[in-house]
Short mmCIF file of all heavy atoms in Angstrom, two decimals:
data_model
loop_
_atom_site.label_atom_id
_atom_site.label_comp_id
_atom_site.label_asym_id
_atom_site.label_seq_id
_atom_site.Cartn_x
_atom_site.Cartn_y
_atom_site.Cartn_z
N ASN A 1472 5.12 -31.53 49.81
CA ASN A 1472 6.27 -31.94 49.27
C ASN A 1472 7.17 -32.71 50.13
O ASN A 1472 7.64 -33.74 49.82
CB ASN A 1472 6.97 -30.85 48.44
CG ASN A 1472 6.40 -30.63 47.00
OD1 ASN A 1472 6.84 -31.37 46.11
ND2 ASN A 1472 5.50 -29.79 46.90
N LEU A 1473 7.46 -32.12 51.28
CA LEU A 1473 8.33 -32.86 52.25
C LEU A 1473 7.64 -34.05 52.66
O LEU A 1473 8.35 -35.16 52.69
CB LEU A 1473 8.46 -31.90 53.51
CG LEU A 1473 9.41 -30.71 53.42
CD1 LEU A 1473 9.31 -29.92 54.76
CD2 LEU A 1473 10.80 -31.16 53.13
N ASN A 1474 6.40 -34.12 52.86
CA ASN A 1474 5.68 -35.32 53.29
C ASN A 1474 5.74 -36.55 52.35
O ASN A 1474 5.77 -37.63 52.79
CB ASN A 1474 4.27 -35.01 53.75
CG ASN A 1474 4.15 -34.08 54.97
OD1 ASN A 1474 5.12 -33.83 55.59
ND2 ASN A 1474 2.97 -33.58 55.09
N VAL A 1475 5.74 -36.18 51.00
CA VAL A 1475 5.71 -37.21 49.99
C VAL A 1475 7.25 -37.50 49.56
O VAL A 1475 7.32 -38.45 48.80
CB VAL A 1475 4.90 -36.88 48.75
CG1 VAL A 1475 3.47 -36.71 49.28
CG2 VAL A 1475 5.33 -35.65 48.10
N GLY A 1476 8.21 -36.86 50.11
CA GLY A 1476 9.58 -37.26 49.81
C GLY A 1476 10.45 -36.34 49.03
O GLY A 1476 11.60 -36.67 48.70
N ASN A 1477 9.91 -35.12 48.59
CA ASN A 1477 10.64 -34.16 47.98
C ASN A 1477 11.35 -33.35 48.96
O ASN A 1477 10.77 -32.82 49.87
CB ASN A 1477 9.72 -33.20 47.08
CG ASN A 1477 9.23 -33.99 45.98
OD1 ASN A 1477 9.89 -34.91 45.25
ND2 ASN A 1477 7.99 -33.81 45.56
N ASP A 1478 12.74 -33.12 48.71
CA ASP A 1478 13.55 -32.37 49.63
C ASP A 1478 13.47 -30.82 49.26
O ASP A 1478 13.10 -30.50 48.05
CB ASP A 1478 14.86 -32.88 49.99
CG ASP A 1478 15.71 -32.84 48.60
OD1 ASP A 1478 15.36 -32.27 47.56
OD2 ASP A 1478 16.84 -33.55 48.64
N LYS A 1479 14.10 -29.93 50.14
CA LYS A 1479 14.12 -28.53 49.81
C LYS A 1479 14.95 -28.27 48.53
O LYS A 1479 14.38 -27.41 47.72
CB LYS A 1479 14.86 -27.85 50.93
CG LYS A 1479 14.93 -26.37 50.94
CD LYS A 1479 15.47 -25.75 52.12
CE LYS A 1479 15.31 -24.20 52.00
NZ LYS A 1479 15.76 -23.53 53.20
N GLU A 1480 15.96 -29.02 48.29
CA GLU A 1480 16.82 -28.71 47.00
C GLU A 1480 16.03 -29.02 45.84
O GLU A 1480 16.03 -28.26 44.89
CB GLU A 1480 18.15 -29.48 47.05
CG GLU A 1480 19.07 -28.93 48.20
CD GLU A 1480 19.32 -27.45 48.00
OE1 GLU A 1480 19.60 -26.92 47.02
OE2 GLU A 1480 19.26 -26.79 49.12
N THR A 1481 15.17 -29.97 45.81
CA THR A 1481 14.36 -30.42 44.72
C THR A 1481 13.27 -29.33 44.45
O THR A 1481 13.14 -28.93 43.26
CB THR A 1481 13.69 -31.77 44.92
OG1 THR A 1481 14.60 -32.72 45.03
CG2 THR A 1481 12.68 -32.12 43.84
N MET A 1482 12.66 -28.82 45.55
CA MET A 1482 11.65 -27.66 45.35
C MET A 1482 12.33 -26.45 44.80
O MET A 1482 11.83 -25.80 44.01
CB MET A 1482 11.08 -27.41 46.72
CG MET A 1482 10.01 -28.55 47.17
SD MET A 1482 9.27 -28.12 48.68
CE MET A 1482 10.08 -29.28 49.83
N ILE A 1483 13.55 -26.08 45.31
CA ILE A 1483 14.30 -24.91 44.93
C ILE A 1483 14.60 -25.12 43.46
O ILE A 1483 14.49 -24.12 42.55
CB ILE A 1483 15.51 -24.68 45.80
CG1 ILE A 1483 15.17 -24.20 47.22
CG2 ILE A 1483 16.45 -23.55 45.16
CD1 ILE A 1483 16.12 -24.10 48.12
N SER A 1484 15.07 -26.30 43.10
CA SER A 1484 15.50 -26.53 41.70
C SER A 1484 14.27 -26.35 40.72
O SER A 1484 14.32 -25.70 39.76
CB SER A 1484 16.02 -27.89 41.47
OG SER A 1484 17.24 -27.97 42.12
N ALA A 1485 13.06 -26.92 41.19
CA ALA A 1485 11.80 -26.80 40.37
C ALA A 1485 11.40 -25.37 40.22
O ALA A 1485 10.99 -24.88 39.24
CB ALA A 1485 10.77 -27.61 40.99
N ILE A 1486 11.35 -24.63 41.39
CA ILE A 1486 10.97 -23.23 41.31
C ILE A 1486 11.96 -22.32 40.46
O ILE A 1486 11.48 -21.52 39.72
CB ILE A 1486 10.88 -22.64 42.73
CG1 ILE A 1486 9.80 -23.36 43.56
CG2 ILE A 1486 10.82 -21.16 42.78
CD1 ILE A 1486 9.68 -23.17 44.96
N THR A 1487 13.35 -22.66 40.56
CA THR A 1487 14.26 -21.94 39.71
C THR A 1487 14.02 -22.25 38.25
O THR A 1487 14.08 -21.27 37.47
CB THR A 1487 15.73 -22.45 40.12
OG1 THR A 1487 15.84 -22.25 41.50
CG2 THR A 1487 16.73 -21.77 39.30
N HIS A 1488 13.57 -23.37 38.05
CA HIS A 1488 13.30 -23.73 36.47
C HIS A 1488 12.23 -22.85 35.99
O HIS A 1488 12.01 -22.55 34.93
CB HIS A 1488 12.95 -25.15 36.37
CG HIS A 1488 12.57 -25.54 34.91
ND1 HIS A 1488 13.47 -25.63 33.95
CD2 HIS A 1488 11.39 -25.75 34.40
CE1 HIS A 1488 12.85 -25.96 32.83
NE2 HIS A 1488 11.51 -26.00 33.14
N GLY A 1489 11.30 -22.53 36.93
CA GLY A 1489 10.03 -21.73 36.64
C GLY A 1489 10.33 -20.29 36.45
O GLY A 1489 9.49 -19.48 36.01
N LEU A 1490 11.54 -19.80 36.92
CA LEU A 1490 11.80 -18.38 36.95
C LEU A 1490 11.54 -17.72 35.68
O LEU A 1490 10.79 -16.64 35.64
CB LEU A 1490 13.24 -18.28 37.46
CG LEU A 1490 13.79 -16.74 37.33
CD1 LEU A 1490 12.98 -15.80 38.30
CD2 LEU A 1490 15.28 -16.67 37.86
N PRO A 1491 12.05 -18.15 34.52
CA PRO A 1491 11.76 -17.31 33.36
C PRO A 1491 10.29 -17.21 32.89
O PRO A 1491 9.93 -16.34 32.23
CB PRO A 1491 12.58 -18.07 32.17
CG PRO A 1491 13.10 -19.33 32.80
CD PRO A 1491 12.83 -19.30 34.31
N TYR A 1492 9.47 -18.11 33.49
CA TYR A 1492 8.02 -18.15 33.12
C TYR A 1492 7.19 -17.33 34.08
O TYR A 1492 6.16 -16.82 33.69
CB TYR A 1492 7.55 -19.59 33.08
CG TYR A 1492 8.48 -20.48 32.09
CD1 TYR A 1492 9.36 -21.23 32.65
CD2 TYR A 1492 8.35 -20.33 30.75
CE1 TYR A 1492 10.25 -21.98 31.87
CE2 TYR A 1492 9.19 -20.97 29.91
CZ TYR A 1492 10.04 -21.98 30.46
OH TYR A 1492 10.98 -22.58 29.62
N MET A 1493 7.60 -17.35 35.42
CA MET A 1493 6.76 -16.72 36.35
C MET A 1493 7.41 -15.40 36.99
O MET A 1493 6.70 -14.69 37.60
CB MET A 1493 6.49 -17.68 37.55
CG MET A 1493 7.61 -18.30 38.34
SD MET A 1493 6.95 -19.60 39.42
CE MET A 1493 8.13 -19.58 40.74
N GLY A 1494 8.68 -15.15 36.63
CA GLY A 1494 9.27 -13.82 37.01
C GLY A 1494 9.80 -13.95 38.39
O GLY A 1494 9.60 -14.92 39.06
N PHE A 1495 10.67 -12.88 38.65
CA PHE A 1495 11.39 -12.78 39.91
C PHE A 1495 10.54 -12.61 41.12
O PHE A 1495 10.58 -13.28 42.18
CB PHE A 1495 12.48 -11.58 39.84
CG PHE A 1495 13.72 -12.12 39.18
CD1 PHE A 1495 13.85 -11.90 37.91
CD2 PHE A 1495 14.63 -12.85 39.86
CE1 PHE A 1495 15.06 -12.27 37.27
CE2 PHE A 1495 15.77 -13.21 39.36
CZ PHE A 1495 16.15 -12.91 37.97
N PRO A 1496 9.44 -11.62 41.03
CA PRO A 1496 8.60 -11.50 42.23
C PRO A 1496 7.94 -12.86 42.80
O PRO A 1496 8.05 -13.08 43.95
CB PRO A 1496 7.57 -10.38 41.89
CG PRO A 1496 8.29 -9.70 40.76
CD PRO A 1496 9.05 -10.68 40.06
N ARG A 1497 7.34 -13.52 41.88
CA ARG A 1497 6.63 -14.75 42.21
C ARG A 1497 7.75 -15.78 42.62
O ARG A 1497 7.47 -16.68 43.58
CB ARG A 1497 5.73 -15.17 41.15
CG ARG A 1497 4.57 -14.36 41.14
CD ARG A 1497 3.47 -14.58 40.21
NE ARG A 1497 2.42 -13.76 40.29
CZ ARG A 1497 1.49 -13.45 39.42
NH1 ARG A 1497 1.42 -14.22 38.32
NH2 ARG A 1497 0.60 -12.54 39.61
N THR A 1498 8.93 -15.96 41.90
CA THR A 1498 9.90 -16.82 42.49
C THR A 1498 10.48 -16.57 43.87
O THR A 1498 10.54 -17.45 44.61
CB THR A 1498 11.04 -16.81 41.43
OG1 THR A 1498 10.56 -17.22 40.11
CG2 THR A 1498 12.16 -17.62 41.76
N LEU A 1499 10.57 -15.26 44.05
CA LEU A 1499 11.10 -14.85 45.40
C LEU A 1499 10.12 -15.15 46.46
O LEU A 1499 10.45 -15.48 47.56
CB LEU A 1499 11.54 -13.35 45.39
CG LEU A 1499 12.79 -13.13 44.50
CD1 LEU A 1499 12.87 -11.52 44.39
CD2 LEU A 1499 13.96 -13.82 45.00
N ASN A 1500 8.85 -14.95 46.11
CA ASN A 1500 7.75 -15.18 47.06
C ASN A 1500 7.63 -16.68 47.40
O ASN A 1500 7.53 -17.20 48.46
CB ASN A 1500 6.33 -14.70 46.55
CG ASN A 1500 6.32 -13.23 46.55
OD1 ASN A 1500 6.98 -12.46 47.12
ND2 ASN A 1500 5.27 -12.82 45.89
N ALA A 1501 7.85 -17.56 46.35
CA ALA A 1501 7.90 -18.99 46.50
C ALA A 1501 8.97 -19.38 47.44
O ALA A 1501 8.79 -20.21 48.33
CB ALA A 1501 7.89 -19.64 45.26
N LEU A 1502 10.23 -18.85 47.20
CA LEU A 1502 11.32 -19.20 47.96
C LEU A 1502 11.19 -18.82 49.37
O LEU A 1502 11.58 -19.44 50.32
CB LEU A 1502 12.59 -18.56 47.39
CG LEU A 1502 13.09 -19.19 46.02
CD1 LEU A 1502 14.21 -18.40 45.42
CD2 LEU A 1502 13.32 -20.69 46.07
N SER A 1503 10.53 -17.62 49.60
CA SER A 1503 10.27 -17.18 50.93
C SER A 1503 9.49 -18.19 51.70
O SER A 1503 9.62 -18.44 52.82
CB SER A 1503 9.60 -15.80 50.82
OG SER A 1503 9.21 -15.37 52.23
N CYS A 1504 8.40 -18.59 51.06
CA CYS A 1504 7.35 -19.62 51.48
C CYS A 1504 8.31 -20.95 51.85
O CYS A 1504 8.04 -21.62 52.87
CB CYS A 1504 6.31 -20.05 50.57
SG CYS A 1504 5.14 -18.72 50.38
N VAL A 1505 9.10 -21.40 50.92
CA VAL A 1505 9.90 -22.66 51.24
C VAL A 1505 10.79 -22.34 52.37
O VAL A 1505 10.93 -23.12 53.19
CB VAL A 1505 10.71 -22.89 49.97
CG1 VAL A 1505 11.86 -23.93 50.29
CG2 VAL A 1505 9.87 -23.37 48.82
N ASN A 1506 11.46 -21.28 52.54
CA ASN A 1506 12.35 -20.93 53.61
C ASN A 1506 11.49 -20.77 55.00
O ASN A 1506 12.07 -21.09 55.97
CB ASN A 1506 13.24 -19.65 53.36
CG ASN A 1506 14.25 -20.04 52.34
OD1 ASN A 1506 14.82 -21.11 52.23
ND2 ASN A 1506 14.50 -18.95 51.49
N GLU A 1507 10.41 -20.37 54.86
CA GLU A 1507 9.55 -20.16 56.18
C GLU A 1507 9.24 -21.56 56.67
O GLU A 1507 9.21 -21.91 57.87
CB GLU A 1507 8.23 -19.45 55.92
CG GLU A 1507 7.44 -19.24 57.17
CD GLU A 1507 6.25 -18.48 56.89
OE1 GLU A 1507 6.27 -17.48 56.15
OE2 GLU A 1507 5.17 -18.63 57.60
N ILE A 1508 8.87 -22.49 55.81
CA ILE A 1508 8.53 -23.83 56.16
C ILE A 1508 9.73 -24.73 56.54
O ILE A 1508 9.75 -25.45 57.36
CB ILE A 1508 7.65 -24.55 55.14
CG1 ILE A 1508 6.36 -23.80 54.91
CG2 ILE A 1508 7.37 -26.03 55.42
CD1 ILE A 1508 5.50 -23.61 56.08
N ILE A 1509 10.82 -24.56 55.69
CA ILE A 1509 12.05 -25.27 55.96
C ILE A 1509 13.21 -24.26 56.04
O ILE A 1509 13.95 -23.86 55.12
CB ILE A 1509 12.38 -26.15 54.67
CG1 ILE A 1509 11.17 -26.98 54.24
CG2 ILE A 1509 13.62 -27.08 55.04
CD1 ILE A 1509 11.35 -27.59 52.88
N PRO A 1510 13.55 -23.77 57.23
CA PRO A 1510 14.52 -22.75 57.48
C PRO A 1510 15.88 -23.19 57.06
O PRO A 1510 16.18 -24.38 57.18
CB PRO A 1510 14.48 -22.38 58.88
CG PRO A 1510 13.12 -22.92 59.41
CD PRO A 1510 12.79 -24.05 58.48
N GLU A 1511 16.69 -22.26 56.57
CA GLU A 1511 18.05 -22.71 56.20
C GLU A 1511 18.74 -23.07 57.65
O GLU A 1511 18.45 -22.55 58.63
CB GLU A 1511 18.83 -21.58 55.62
CG GLU A 1511 18.55 -21.37 54.30
CD GLU A 1511 18.89 -22.39 53.22
OE1 GLU A 1511 19.96 -22.86 53.35
OE2 GLU A 1511 18.01 -22.82 52.58
#
């Protein structure tokens, strides 16, 4: 996503949108992956 021009905020927004469908555990795991690749 970074390589094609999507920034961290766009990824977080998309993952947040998925929260009601995928649940907190998978959302938190996804955010952990995002933060590992793109640290705060």
